[in-house]
Amino acid sequence: MKINLFNQDSAAESFAAGSTLFREGDEGRDMFVVLSGSIEIVVRGRMVETVESGGIFGEMALVDHRPRIATAVVKSDAKVVRIDEKRFLFLVQQNPFFSLQVMAVIAERLRRMDERL
Amino acid sequence: MKINLFNQDSAAESFAAGSTLFREGDEGRDMFVVLSGSIEIVVRGRMVETVESGGIFGEMALVDHRPRIATAVVKSDAKVVRIDEKRFLFLVQQNPFFSLQVMAVIAERLRRMDERL
């Protein structure tokens, strides 16, 4: 599931491999779209996913306003676009395709977890 | 997370306790909003959730177009509203609040699964 709305975004931030964008338990209200590089998502010490170009992460805290459930660590030097709550709500209102993509990303993660049952 | 858009819906369907609405592996393109009663959601033989009035289930197959990942069994006599793909897409386009609620429901399920890790 790739999100291509943000490739031309001038507000991209760069992070070096090994950086931590957020940690499990942090308060946070931003999601991120990966433009390049890769990010590892770690839940309770287990790496559950690698997010690459076009992928998103951090959307959970925007959706349910609870602390981060995962830690996000840069695996290879990455450029990401940060989407704060205001912009997120704007995108949901203006762009049904964005909403469907966010749903699909969360659903994909849930399927993966369910398959571990 | 409750969805209250459908309380007045005339197309509600009734199901008796013990009925199965769908099974893991089924093809399916409907989600359901519970008006009354309760539905048990079973993944790989484990009851992972009971959905009651205002709750939704079956949204995963609408979002990712894959076979049902869970079985839905009526626990106590239930009335539900069936939402097919056309109506789902209409709601996502017309009603950002609906999109956010669907995201929140899936996110809540994902958090619950992540907590089992």
Side-chain angles (χ1 to χ4, degrees):
Chain A
M1 182 55 54
K2 301 211 168 193
I3 292 194
N4 294 313
L5 299 170
F6 304 100
N7 290 352
Q8 305 304 322
D9 199 292
S10 57
E13 298 173 42
S14 296
F15 293 92
S19 314
T20 298
L21 277 85
F22 54 77
R23 287 179 200 281
E24 200 173 328
D26 284 355
E27 294 297 326
R29 290 285 181 279
D30 298 324
M31 62 168 267
F32 300 87
V33 181
V34 180
L35 299 186
S36 64
S38 60
I39 314 289
E40 285 189 340
I41 308 300
V42 179
V43 176
R44 303 187 169 221
R46 295 198 207 180
M47 206 277 280
V48 295
E49 188 174 349
T50 301
V51 185
E52 298 183 320
S53 175
I56 67 170
F57 62 97
E59 75 291 336
M60 293 283 288
L62 269 175
V63 168
D64 65 13
H65 300 116
R66 289 173 58 191
R68 298 289 189 193
I69 196 161
T71 297
V73 179
V74 181
K75 185 179 175 189
S76 61
D77 294 357
K79 287 189 180 176
V80 302
V81 175
R82 183 186 300 265
I83 299 180
D84 65 13
E85 186 154 27
K86 186 177 169 188
R87 186 166 176 197
F88 175 74
L89 292 174
F90 177 81
L91 286 164
V92 169
Q93 282 167 16
Q94 298 296 318
N95 191 334
F97 186 63
F98 174 77
S99 297
L100 290 169
Q101 286 187 301
V102 173
M103 287 178 204
V105 166
I106 309 176
E108 189 177 321
R109 287 176 185 152
L110 178 54
R111 281 208 188 250
R112 201 175 306 131
M113 293 304 296
D114 282 350
E115 283 164 4
R116 294 188 181 209
L117 262 188
Chain B
M1 181 55 55
K2 300 211 170 195
I3 292 193
N4 293 312
L5 299 172
F6 304 100
N7 291 352
Q8 304 306 321
D9 198 292
S10 58
E13 298 173 42
S14 297
F15 292 92
S19 315
T20 298
L21 276 86
F22 54 76
R23 290 179 196 280
E24 200 172 330
D26 284 355
E27 294 298 324
R29 289 286 181 278
D30 298 323
M31 62 169 266
F32 300 88
V33 181
V34 181
L35 298 186
S36 65
S38 61
I39 313 289
E40 285 189 341
I41 308 300
V42 179
V43 177
R44 302 186 169 222
R46 295 199 205 182
M47 207 276 283
V48 296
E49 187 174 351
T50 302
V51 184
E52 299 182 319
S53 175
I56 66 170
F57 62 96
E59 75 292 338
M60 293 283 287
L62 269 174
V63 168
D64 65 14
H65 300 116
R66 290 173 57 190
R68 300 288 190 194
I69 196 160
T71 297
V73 179
V74 180
K75 185 179 176 189
S76 60
D77 293 358
K79 286 190 180 176
V80 303
V81 175
R82 184 187 297 267
I83 298 179
D84 65 13
E85 185 153 29
K86 186 177 169 188
R87 185 166 176 197
F88 174 76
L89 293 173
F90 178 81
L91 286 164
V92 168
Q93 281 167 15
Q94 298 296 318
N95 191 333
F97 185 63
F98 174 78
S99 298
L100 291 169
Q101 286 187 301
V102 173
M103 287 177 204
V105 165
I106 309 177
E108 191 176 319
R109 289 177 183 152
L110 179 54
R111 279 206 189 254
R112 200 175 307 132
M113 293 304 297
D114 281 352
E115 283 163 5
R116 293 189 180 206
L117 262 188

